[in-house]
């Protein structure tokens, strides 16, 4: 499946690359420092856009037999509730890293909402979770209200929650697709469109790692 053309020509066609997990760190670590040499974790703790790393829309997938990179994410939602990916074992988990200050994040919101709503209404075992970057809680909640985002997001906490994803979430936005066994299945560095995201999720739903209803179907 190739990435579909995007609305209004807002970005170049994304490149889709099939990578073994062993190659992922090599591909991603190149973007981990800014021009001033600061680490990505230091950049994320800053309160402005200095060191901001933008993705180029590259799509990466890992074949089922080559997935050995486990992804565990936990934190506190904007509504002050605990959330953990381990509670959603057996489901596909879609993680979207975003900030209200990030133009591509704003542009992709309707696509994310479209896919999440369609999958939820179809009863598919898929959970979406946002991971906010550099916003205050009131600003992040206002953003979600403005764009009618139906799924929760984790609070920014100075980059500590985001740091759990390591080099997988250098760019903002970044979208990760985690399979039913908690392993990285796909990653989009930069803005994602609805057609591409739905295709990536459907691929995982069909690959045998997801259980009907999911073990941890907690919403």
């Amino acid at each position: 499946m190739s990435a579909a053309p995007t609305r209004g020509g807002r970005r170049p066609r994304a490149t889709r690359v099939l990578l073994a997990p062993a190659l992922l760190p090599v591909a991603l670590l190149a973007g981990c420092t800014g021009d001033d040499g600061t680490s990505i974790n230091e950049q994320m703790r800053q309160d402005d856009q200095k060191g901001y790393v933008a993705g180029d829309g590259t799509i990466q997938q890992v074949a089922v037999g080559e997935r050995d990179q486990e992804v565990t994410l936990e934190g506190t939602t904007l509504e002050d509730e605990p959330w953990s990916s381990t509670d959603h074992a057996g489901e596909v988990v879609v993680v979207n890293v975003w900030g209200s200050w990030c133009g591509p994040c704003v542009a992709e919101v309707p696509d994310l909402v479209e896919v999440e709503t369609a999958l939820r209404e179809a009863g598919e075992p898929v959970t979406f979770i946002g991971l906010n970057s550099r916003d205050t809680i009131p600003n992040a909640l206002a953003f979600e209200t403005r764009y009618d985002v139906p799924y929760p997001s984790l609070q920014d906490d100075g980059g500590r929650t985001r740091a759990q994803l390591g080099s997988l979430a250098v760019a903002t936005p970044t979208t990760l697709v985690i399979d039913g066994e908690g392993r990285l299945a796909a990653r989009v560095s930069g803005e994602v469109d609805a057609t591409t995201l739905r295709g990536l999720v459907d691929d995982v739903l069909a690959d045998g790692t997801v259980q009907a209803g999911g073990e941890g179907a907690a919403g």
Side-chain angles (χ1 to χ4, degrees), residues 4-219:
T6 59
R7 299 192 298 269
R10 64 192 183 207
R11 66 180 183 282
R13 180 181 293 273
T15 301
R16 187 166 181 174
V17 183
L18 185 66
L19 294 179
L23 298 181
L24 282 168
V26 176
L28 302 179
L29 286 174
C32 284
T33 58
D35 292 338
D36 59 358
T38 57
S39 72
I40 189 62
N41 286 343
E42 291 169 338
Q43 292 172 16
M44 289 188 294
R45 286 177 172 82
Q46 294 172 357
D47 197 30
D48 54 25
Q49 295 189 42
K50 182 180 179 182
Y52 164 60
V53 180
D56 59 5
T58 298
I59 305 165
Q60 299 165 314
Q61 286 184 285
V62 184
V64 177
E66 297 176 334
R67 295 176 194 162
D68 62 5
Q69 189 164 7
E70 294 186 1
V71 180
T72 302
L73 179 66
E74 59 184 13
T76 303
T77 69
L78 297 172
E79 294 78 18
D80 206 31
E81 297 291 337
W83 189 94
S84 175
S85 61
T86 58
D87 293 332
H88 299 275
E91 303 173 28
V92 179
V93 176
V94 177
V95 180
N96 176 253
V97 180
W98 64 278
S100 67
W101 45 267
C102 160
C105 300
V106 175
E108 71 178 3
V109 168
D111 297 81
L112 289 159
V113 170
E114 174 186 332
V115 175
E116 192 277 343
T117 300
L119 290 166
R120 174 166 39 82
E121 291 180 349
E124 298 288 1
V126 180
T127 290
F128 276 57
I129 183 71
L131 201 172
N132 182 253
S133 178
R134 301 185 183 181
D135 282 311
T136 64
I137 292 175
N139 284 350
L141 286 170
F143 180 91
E144 291 195 330
T145 298
R146 178 179 180 182
Y147 293 100
D148 295 321
V149 179
Y151 51 86
S153 284
L154 301 178
Q155 300 175 14
D156 177 86
D157 56 2
R160 290 184 295 276
T161 297
R162 182 172 180 169
Q164 295 174 46
L165 302 177
S167 61
L168 294 178
V170 171
T172 305
T174 291
T175 300
L176 306 179
V177 181
I178 313 304
D179 73 11
E181 297 178 11
R183 304 171 302 177
L184 179 69
R187 173 184 177 273
V188 180
S189 177
E191 185 180 337
V192 67
D193 62 76
T195 300
T196 297
L197 180 57
R198 182 60 189 259
L200 294 173
V201 173
D202 283 346
D203 285 350
V204 180
L205 286 171
D207 69 13
T209 66
V210 178
Q211 301 178 17
E215 284 185 350

